[in-house]
């Protein structure tokens, strides 16, 4: 990664190796069974969420008082809930809320955190101190508690939950980006780019930024897993997706009341959260190992 | 040691200042007129005016902040809008309950996490190692409210071994207290055990590769002694600091766990406040949580220096 000559060559327009470190990382990633399994499940979940209307035989909102809290059967694979709605349909549709929340909130965190982190790391001085102390302060408030407080003040809705989780996850990316920038800034090729008279913004974006992408990618994947749990937690507390729209967290919340008579109402949405989060964690762990140059085997 | 402590304490001042700004700033997120929103559905004019006057909501924001901070320094975190009780008193009432739950969770997390981490490092790349890693991944990925629901279903409803929740003080009924808190403590400890296991494993692997461990082995010491006396003690230091960071996860996790097991602690206080739109209680709890978390991390840093002789001077 610290191949100064290659970066300089690419900079001066000479034909560089076609992304060979990336390809090597991909090969390392595909050799890890856990990571491949994680990726496969993530892709499957995304496909389910996108094609939910085509996969599903039932409308997730269709109330059927003739089939209230029916145990899983051939007609209703995961059983039905307290309003006779098909639990399988609601779990599939719930994937939309969860994945959207995971991806959008992490995108918000990246969009705010990375530029601020670049600025702090690259500018240094009082600006860096100010940003760092503010980041410390945000990290001093436990993740879920800050997210709950933000969502409570913003008002309950899926959109606000995404914003709340996104803001809460931002300091992680500010700190990571800043740290990486500080480490990359002193590399020879960055010094060289600066010595050649490139303006600071260009050095930051063209020479420093590409080198901090791999750790950001890993952190983003793991953050999606955390964000999905956070969304489910907030929905469980009634702050997320509002009923009757399906969401895994709120399904779990309702299920508590029908525990003894209809345990399937709790088992399936929980299993969906578990499998999705596990898949993102597996993929993220594999990605970290594959992108770590020290692990190159 | 003294300079370290002084430096570390000085660093806290700006952090605490920004924490207070963030928590005070939450109010500004309320849609519409804050006093009207806080007064709730009735939109009682007198109530709105009272809130406005009490929290000086007509004054400029910096002035509001000043009065709010002055209150905080005097131990006044505002008053619950619903229960009409001082927030500080509510928080103090709930704190011991959560502290007991958290303490039990830490004991569970450390005993599972450290032993699993040591075993998986010593038996690296064996079935033990894989099993420990799978359990850790499971622990990190299981939403704790789901695990809580499943445990209640299994141990309370199906087997009838444990009460599904509630709380009794340990002074009143010691075993009853443990019996009620063991499931929530396990749920809380489980997620942290996984993270502690990972830290312990990597710290142990690093230490086991050191020269002094090789020296100890070549002296002919028993493997058990090498691992426990030479490796483990040195691996423990990073685990303390990294483990302390997980106290935040613990406090976060307590919110949902207490809700599920109806433990009348701190987390339950927040959830009830969220349901009741009791904004000052939310602010107060966040402020206290952050302060507790910062203090615990400071103590962990001091412990880190104390157990590491090279840093002590």
């Amino acid at each position: 990664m610290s191949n100064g000559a290659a970066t300089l060559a690419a900079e001066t327009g000479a034909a560089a190796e076609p992304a060979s470190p990336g390809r090597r990382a991909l090969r390392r990633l595909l050799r890890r069974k856990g990571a491949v399994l994680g990726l496969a499940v993530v892709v499957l979940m995304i496909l389910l969420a996108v094609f939910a209307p085509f996969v599903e035989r039932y409308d997730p909102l269709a109330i059927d008082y003739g089939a209230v809290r029916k145990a899983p059967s051939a007609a209703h694979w995961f059983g039905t809930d307290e309003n006779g709605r098909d639990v399988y349909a609601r779990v599939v549709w719930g994937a939309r809320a969860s994945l959207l929340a995971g991806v959008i909130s992490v995108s918000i965190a990246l969009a705010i955190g990375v530029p601020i982190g670049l600025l702090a790391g690259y500018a240094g001085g009082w600006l860096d101190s100010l940003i760092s102390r503010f980041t410390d302060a945000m990290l001093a408030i436990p993740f879920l508690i800050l997210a709950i407080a933000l969502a409570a003040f913003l008002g309950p809705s899926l959109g606000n939950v995404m914003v709340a989780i996104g803001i809460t996850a931002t300091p992680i990316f500010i700190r990571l980006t800043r740290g990486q920038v500080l480490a990359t800034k002193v590399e020879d090729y960055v010094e060289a780019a600066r010595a050649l008279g490139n303006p600071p913004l260009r050095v930051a974006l063209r020479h420093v930024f590409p080198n901090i992408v791999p750790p950001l990618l890993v952190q983003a994947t793991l953050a999606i897993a955390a964000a999905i749990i956070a969304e489910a937690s907030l929905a469980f507390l009634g702050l997320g997706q509002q009923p009757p729209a399906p969401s895994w967290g709120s399904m779990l919340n309702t299920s508590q009341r029908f525990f003894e008579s209809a345990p399937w109402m709790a088992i399936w949405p929980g299993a969906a959260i578990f499998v999705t989060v596990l898949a993102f964690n597996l993929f993220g762990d594999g990605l970290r190992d594959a992108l770590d140059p020290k692990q190159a085997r | 040691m003294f300079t370290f402590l002084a430096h570390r304490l000085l660093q806290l001042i700006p952090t605490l200042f920004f924490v207070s700004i963030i928590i005070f700033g939450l109010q500004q997120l309320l849609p519409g007129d804050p006093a009207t929103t806080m007064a709730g559905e009735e939109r009682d004019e007198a109530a709105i005016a009272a809130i406005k006057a009490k929290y000086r909501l007509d004054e400029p924001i910096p002035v509001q902040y000043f009065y709010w901070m002055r209150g905080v320094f005097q131990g006044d975190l505002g008053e619950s809008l619903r229960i009409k009780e001082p927030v500080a008193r509510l928080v103090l009432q709930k704190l011991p309950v959560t502290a007991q739950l958290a303490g039990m969770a830490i004991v569970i997390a450390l005993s599972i996490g450290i032993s699993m981490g040591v075993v998986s490092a010593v038996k690296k790349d064996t079935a033990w190692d894989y099993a420990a890693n799978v359990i850790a991944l499971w622990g990190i990925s299981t939403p704790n409210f789901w695990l809580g629901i499943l445990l209640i279903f299994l141990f309370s409803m199906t087997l009838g071994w444990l009460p599904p929740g509630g709380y009794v003080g340990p002074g009143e009924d010691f075993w009853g207290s443990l019996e009620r808190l063991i499931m929530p403590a396990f749920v809380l400890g489980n997620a942290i055990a996984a993270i502690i296991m990972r830290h312990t494993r990597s710290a142990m692997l690093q230490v086991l590769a050191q020269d002094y461990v090789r020296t100890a082995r070549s002296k002919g010491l028993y493997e058990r002694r090498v691992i426990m006396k030479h490796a483990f003690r040195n691996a423990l230091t990073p685990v303390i600091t990294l483990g302390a960071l997980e106290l935040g996860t613990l406090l976060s996790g307590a919110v949902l766990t207490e809700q599920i097991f109806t433990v009348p602690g701190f987390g339950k206080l927040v959830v009830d406040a969220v349901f009741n739109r009791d904004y000052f209680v939310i602010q107060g709890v966040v402020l206290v949580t952050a302060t507790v978390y910062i203090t615990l991390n400071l103590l962990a840093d001091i412990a880190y220096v104390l157990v590491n002789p090279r840093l002590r001077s």
Side-chain angles (χ1 to χ4, degrees):
Chain A
M1 198 150 287
S2 58
N3 193 338
T7 321
L8 266 183
E11 184 51 30
T12 48
E17 288 268 346
S20 73
R23 198 170 288 180
R24 255 182 290 141
L26 184 68
R27 214 174 305 141
R28 278 203 296 275
L29 180 70
L30 292 180
R31 225 182 295 145
R32 289 173 185 275
K33 282 184 213 120
V36 174
L37 181 71
L39 181 62
V41 174
V42 167
V43 171
L44 184 75
M45 283 289 176
I46 294 175
L47 290 177
L48 266 182
V50 172
F51 295 108
F54 306 103
V55 182
E56 220 357 83
R57 294 170 296 161
Y58 293 94
D59 177 350
L61 304 181
I63 291 173
D64 178 3
Y65 288 116
V68 172
R69 281 182 279 142
K70 288 270 178 277
S73 64
H76 297 283
W77 293 350
F78 290 178
T80 61
D81 71 3
E82 81 283 10
N83 288 320
R85 296 173 297 197
D86 185 55
V87 173
Y88 177 67
R90 289 179 71 74
V91 167
V92 169
W93 279 85
R96 287 194 164 190
S98 285
L99 290 174
L100 262 185
V103 172
I104 292 181
S105 55
V106 172
S107 307
I108 293 173
L110 279 169
I112 308 175
V114 173
I116 296 182
L118 270 173
L119 186 69
Y122 207 75
W126 65 270
L127 196 59
D128 179 27
S129 307
L130 187 74
I131 294 172
S132 296
R133 291 293 83 75
F134 193 76
T135 314
D136 285 349
M138 283 190 79
L139 288 170
I141 307 172
F143 190 86
L144 196 60
I145 293 187
L146 182 57
I148 289 175
L150 280 169
F153 277 85
L154 285 168
S157 81
L158 184 59
N160 283 343
V161 158
M162 292 179 196
V163 173
I165 299 173
I167 294 176
T168 312
T170 301
I172 303 169
F173 289 98
I174 298 180
R175 186 172 272 192
L176 178 67
T177 310
R178 176 182 172 272
Q180 293 291 324
V181 169
L182 288 181
T184 313
K185 193 160 93 157
V186 294
E187 295 276 356
D188 289 341
Y189 61 87
V190 177
E191 295 279 353
R194 211 175 313 156
L196 282 173
N198 283 305
L201 189 64
R202 188 180 162 84
V203 177
L205 293 181
R206 285 289 305 255
H207 299 268
V208 174
F209 181 66
N211 287 290
I212 63 175
V213 169
L216 281 176
L217 217 58
V218 172
Q219 188 62 54
T221 314
L222 297 172
I224 291 179
I228 290 176
I229 290 203
E231 188 272 336
S233 309
L234 292 176
F236 183 79
L237 298 178
L239 285 168
Q241 178 88 294
Q242 294 302 296
S247 118
W248 296 340
S250 59
M251 287 170 76
L252 272 175
N253 186 7
T254 337
S255 78
Q256 277 186 296
R257 278 180 285 140
F258 306 101
F259 229 29
E260 255 163 307
S261 53
W264 54 87
M265 280 174 62
I267 290 171
W268 296 111
I273 302 173
F274 171 64
V275 169
T276 313
V277 171
L278 181 69
F280 273 104
N281 276 332
L282 271 173
F283 180 54
D285 282 352
L287 206 58
R288 171 168 51 209
D289 294 345
L291 288 173
D292 184 357
K294 275 176 279 177
Q295 290 250 344
R297 277 186 286 173
Chain B
M1 183 69 202
F2 180 74
T3 38
F4 161 78
L5 205 67
H7 183 77
R8 194 65 184 67
L9 283 173
L10 270 180
Q11 246 188 346
L12 280 186
I13 296 171
T15 307
L16 284 170
F17 170 71
F18 280 122
V19 166
S20 72
I21 296 264
I22 293 169
I23 294 169
F24 172 77
L26 286 171
Q27 268 175 39
Q28 311 304 320
L29 294 177
L30 284 178
D33 177 40
T36 317
T37 316
M38 285 175 188
E41 259 104 64
E42 299 92 41
R43 308 245 183 258
D44 176 11
E45 284 301 325
I48 296 173
I51 291 173
K52 267 198 180 143
K54 182 158 195 294
Y55 299 101
R56 296 170 202 268
L57 295 180
D58 283 331
E59 308 260 8
I61 290 172
V63 177
Q64 289 179 32
Y65 172 76
F66 170 78
Y67 282 110
W68 182 73
M69 260 331 269
R70 199 178 67 173
V72 169
F73 276 120
Q74 292 167 346
D76 175 14
L77 299 176
E79 193 180 66
S80 158
L81 294 162
R82 293 290 165 271
I83 327 173
K84 308 284 178 216
E85 264 199 69
V87 174
R89 191 190 302 160
L90 287 174
V91 171
L92 279 180
Q93 273 170 4
K94 311 288 177 180
L95 210 52
V97 178
T98 303
Q100 190 195 345
L101 175 62
M104 285 173 66
I106 289 172
V107 172
I108 292 174
L110 287 178
S111 33
I112 300 179
I114 290 183
S115 52
M116 260 180 22
V118 171
V119 168
S120 76
V122 172
K123 305 210 181 272
K124 185 171 180 276
D125 291 328
T126 63
W128 289 96
D129 185 20
Y130 292 128
N133 276 300
V134 168
I135 295 175
L137 202 60
W138 176 80
I140 291 173
S141 306
T142 315
N144 57 14
F145 47 104
W146 187 50
L147 182 62
I149 291 178
L150 293 184
L151 287 183
I152 294 178
F153 185 68
L154 180 64
F155 289 107
S156 306
M157 295 189 165
T158 312
L159 297 170
W161 291 355
L162 290 167
Y167 180 78
V168 196
E172 262 170 82
D173 173 4
F174 184 75
W175 292 110
S177 181
L178 285 191
E179 199 180 51
R180 281 176 181 76
L181 284 185
I182 189 74
M183 275 201 292
F186 176 78
V187 168
L188 260 182
N190 173 60
I192 296 160
I195 299 164
I196 302 232
M197 176 262 158
R198 285 182 164 190
H199 289 324
T200 312
R201 180 176 184 272
S202 67
M204 273 300 276
L205 285 177
Q206 227 163 38
V207 172
L208 285 172
Q210 297 284 326
D211 288 342
Y212 60 81
V213 171
R214 199 181 50 199
T215 309
R217 278 192 180 133
S218 57
K219 278 197 300 190
L221 292 182
Y222 287 112
E223 187 63 18
R224 175 189 294 266
R225 195 177 159 82
V226 173
I227 287 165
M228 292 320 293
K229 194 134 192 226
H230 294 255
F232 178 64
R233 283 181 63 170
N234 287 297
L236 210 55
T237 354
V239 175
I240 296 176
T241 350
L242 293 168
L245 293 176
E246 294 313 320
L247 292 168
T249 318
L250 196 74
L251 293 170
S252 282
V255 177
L256 287 156
T257 314
E258 287 181 2
Q259 174 67 13
I260 288 162
F261 291 97
T262 47
V263 179
F266 211 80
K268 189 90 175 57
L269 183 66
V270 189
V271 174
D272 293 342
V274 167
F275 283 138
N276 294 329
R277 310 250 171 281
D278 206 339
Y279 297 103
F280 293 120
V281 176
I282 303 178
Q283 274 182 322
V285 172
V286 178
L287 186 70
V288 173
T289 321
T291 314
V292 168
Y293 183 49
I294 292 172
T295 314
L296 290 173
N297 267 305
L298 177 72
L299 293 178
D301 275 3
I302 295 172
Y304 182 72
V305 174
L306 287 179
V307 294
N308 194 335
R310 267 176 298 180
L311 295 174
R312 218 177 290 158
S313 55

